[in-house]
Amino acid sequence: MIRKRDLLAATAATAFGTVAASYRSARAQADRPGIVGAFETAEAAFVFGLPIVMNYAVMYEYVIDRKSSQFKAPFNTIWNDAQVFTWRDTAIPTPNSDTPYSLAWLDLRAEPIVLSVPDVPAGRYFSVMICDGNTYNVGYIGSRATGQGAGSWLVVGPVWQGPTPPGIKGVIRSTTWFALAAYRTQLFGPDDIANVAAVQRGYTVEPLSAFLHQPAPPPAPDIHWPRIDAELAKRHFFDYLAFALQFNAPQPNEAAIRAQLATIGITGTGAALPASLVDRLELTAGAVEGERKVEAAVAAAGVAMNGWRVTPIPGSPEAYNGDWTLRAVAAKAGIYGNSTEEATYPFTRHDVTGGELDGSKGRYTLTFGPNQLPPVNAFWSVTMYHGGNQLLVQNPIDRYLINAPMLPQMKRNADGGVTIYIQKDDPGEAQRSNWLPAPNGPIYLVMRLYWPRTEPPSLLPIGQGAWQPPGVVRVS
């Protein structure tokens, strides 16, 4: 779930810090790295900081900048959207368009926040993913994790201590002072939206003091939030990292990288990044290499399967275990993605022969054979994105995906399988029910398997399971 595609693709060629005149005299400090050292540190800082800056950019658009077209609601206030994302939603690359969202950005500085969910009817998948400012998935509530029943969970900040309050089923600890609660509620079709809205009305977000009917503690101090957009993120990447890092409590496995960042002035205190003209050149050069490495890692991530790639998303801090490149890859490929056990995401830009998918140059099919539909406990989908920006594609029938709930309206093949027609032009009445409209340009396809099965045949463990996504075939 982040900055716009321009931020995801933010080339560090222009990512450098602001000038601080007072810093010129500090060039003589013994712990200041030389040109080579600063280059290497900037590279490491870019890889480490990319998810953090991306997260700040989305948070700024969604809950801070009230003039933003993407503004949702203030901190600690739930925002329900009884519709799915469309091509008009541009803040988050690769948005999910098959589960209406509810979002709540949590400020945990003054006190913990209580998330409560209602009883959700059996058969309707829902999940609440708590993702912190490091883009770690620190906890889940919902069908897979806790079942369909009602309950309340406490989300706490990095240093909160205390017994579990009465009425609370569990405690979820964020590694940062700000966190996102992202709710996904399954939609079965256009005529089901009222039922989704009814579930959404049962989601509540409130401070612990309100939940316990006690006086509220003093409010946290106000923050001067630096404005961010795609262009500013390109030019001032390291300034935003220096600012945002103050809200991310140091983790034990971050000692080495934080010490390295401090040598170029990123202290984790929120202090402005010092940088002379020479420093900016060093940071720019190192960040360019960091971006190149992340791009290469995204392209090579995961396991190749019939033209698709399937990448495990560790999700939790423990599962990432300090692998900053893997964390950056997960954010770049699709920030706020679910952990693998919650959802698995095969993705591709290529057909089964390795040719690049392009709606301006070809037509394609994707066929699931009989008894070969994606193996899931909840449901699956195949979503179309423009390959240039990873956003949903405007089209004449407002269809952005094909998913399991649509199967009854789709035409089956003679053997019982189903073929999806991937092309920019309407294929005609006979095939329209199975049409996934493509852009007039590069194509990026993402398959989502919600609550993937673990029993055979399964996609899991990735690279070892018996099921694989079928290849996309170009129509001659």
Side-chain angles (χ1 to χ4, degrees):
M1 261 180 153
I2 218 119
R3 29 93 293 174
K4 296 182 171 65
R5 170 61 182 171
D6 285 342
L7 179 58
L8 277 175
T11 73
T14 52
F16 47 73
T18 57
V19 177
S22 62
Y23 182 65
R24 293 188 178 94
S25 62
R27 289 282 298 166
Q29 291 180 2
D31 61 350
R32 174 68 193 174
I35 292 177
V36 174
F39 171 90
E40 293 175 347
T41 297
E43 176 188 325
F46 186 88
V47 174
F48 173 78
L50 181 60
I52 297 169
V53 174
M54 289 173 64
N55 174 77
Y56 176 67
V58 180
M59 186 172 75
Y60 185 85
E61 268 200 293
Y62 272 27
V63 297
I64 297 169
D65 182 7
R66 292 176 179 267
K67 296 180 181 179
S68 167
S69 63
Q70 305 297 318
F71 181 82
K72 306 305 181 189
F75 285 109
N76 300 334
T77 304
I78 192 166
W79 170 83
N80 292 313
D81 194 18
Q83 61 184 357
V84 292
F85 281 172
T86 72
W87 63 271
R88 295 180 178 87
D89 297 286
T90 60
I92 298 176
T94 59
N96 155 18
S97 188
D98 46 18
T99 60
Y101 270 100
S102 301
L103 301 174
W105 227 290
L106 313 179
D107 181 348
L108 305 170
R109 294 175 300 153
E111 60 176 314
I113 301 297
V114 178
L115 308 182
S116 299
V117 301
D119 284 318
V120 177
R124 184 182 300 278
Y125 170 84
F126 84 105
S127 72
V128 186
M129 177 186 75
I130 295 84
C131 185
D132 66 18
N134 285 313
T135 67
Y136 293 139
N137 297 338
V138 294
Y140 275 96
I141 303 164
S143 300
R144 179 195 62 83
T146 61
Q148 303 295 116
S152 299
W153 282 261
L154 189 68
V155 183
V156 305
V159 298
W160 183 86
Q161 298 294 330
T164 301
I168 296 295
K169 286 193 170 185
V171 176
I172 299 170
R173 185 175 299 277
S174 170
T175 68
T176 65
W177 290 110
F178 297 96
L180 168 65
Y183 301 65
R184 298 171 171 94
T185 308
Q186 184 177 4
L187 175 70
F188 294 115
D191 58 352
D192 184 48
I193 198 67
N195 298 320
V196 169
V199 173
Q200 291 177 324
R201 287 193 292 271
Y203 298 142
T204 63
V205 175
E206 58 187 327
L208 177 60
S209 59
F211 180 81
L212 296 176
H213 304 289
Q214 297 176 351
D222 290 338
I223 296 171
H224 174 69
W225 301 100
R227 186 171 67 89
I228 187 171
D229 58 27
E231 184 59 31
L232 288 170
K234 291 177 183 179
R235 291 189 283 117
H236 301 289
F237 177 89
F238 293 106
D239 292 280
Y240 290 116
L241 177 58
F243 170 80
L245 205 57
Q246 67 182 299
F247 305 114
N248 298 14
Q251 302 299 301
N253 60 6
E254 293 178 351
I257 185 65
R258 291 225 180 197
Q260 192 176 8
L261 298 186
T263 66
I264 57 171
I266 301 176
T267 62
T269 64
L273 175 66
S276 70
L277 179 59
V278 173
D279 292 324
R280 287 194 284 172
L281 295 175
E282 295 168 356
L283 298 184
T284 297
V288 167
E289 181 62 12
E291 175 74 359
R292 187 196 67 78
K293 286 189 174 180
V294 172
E295 292 279 6
V298 170
V303 179
M305 298 181 183
N306 299 322
W308 300 79
R309 297 201 72 87
V310 189
T311 303
I313 299 179
S316 71
E318 297 78 17
Y320 276 111
N321 193 30
D323 189 334
W324 314 128
T325 298
L326 182 57
R327 188 176 69 173
V329 166
K332 184 116 178 169
I335 197 166
Y336 307 142
N338 276 301
S339 305
T340 294
E341 63 271 19
E342 191 71 35
T344 307
Y345 303 95
F347 61 93
T348 186
R349 297 176 185 271
H350 300 93
D351 64 27
V352 71
T353 69
E356 292 189 0
L357 299 175
D358 192 316
S360 68
K361 299 177 181 179
R363 296 179 294 122
Y364 307 89
T365 60
L366 175 64
T367 299
F368 295 103
N371 303 314
Q372 289 296 311
L373 291 171
V376 292
N377 291 304
F379 70 102
W380 57 267
S381 67
V382 180
T383 305
M384 172 67 66
Y385 301 99
H386 192 287
N389 56 21
Q390 292 181 208
L391 297 177
L392 296 168
V393 177
Q394 185 179 8
N395 65 85
I397 60 172
D398 291 328
R399 180 181 294 165
Y400 310 102
L401 55 81
I402 298 287
N403 64 17
M406 297 169 64
L407 284 173
Q409 288 75 48
M410 297 177 68
K411 291 187 176 180
R412 294 289 189 126
N413 299 330
D415 61 4
V418 61
T419 295
I420 298 173
Y421 299 95
I422 300 168
Q423 56 191 71
K424 65 180 179 66
D425 298 318
D426 190 331
E429 184 177 354
Q431 298 176 343
R432 190 174 298 134
S433 63
N434 295 32
W435 177 32
L436 181 55
N440 186 27
I443 290 171
Y444 179 54
L445 288 174
V446 176
M447 193 179 297
R448 289 176 168 86
L449 280 64
Y450 290 95
W451 192 358
R453 291 180 184 170
T454 55
E455 66 275 10
S458 172
L459 183 63
L460 305 178
I462 292 174
Q464 303 175 40
W467 185 87
Q468 293 190 4
V472 179
V473 176
R474 179 165 181 160
V475 178
S476 60

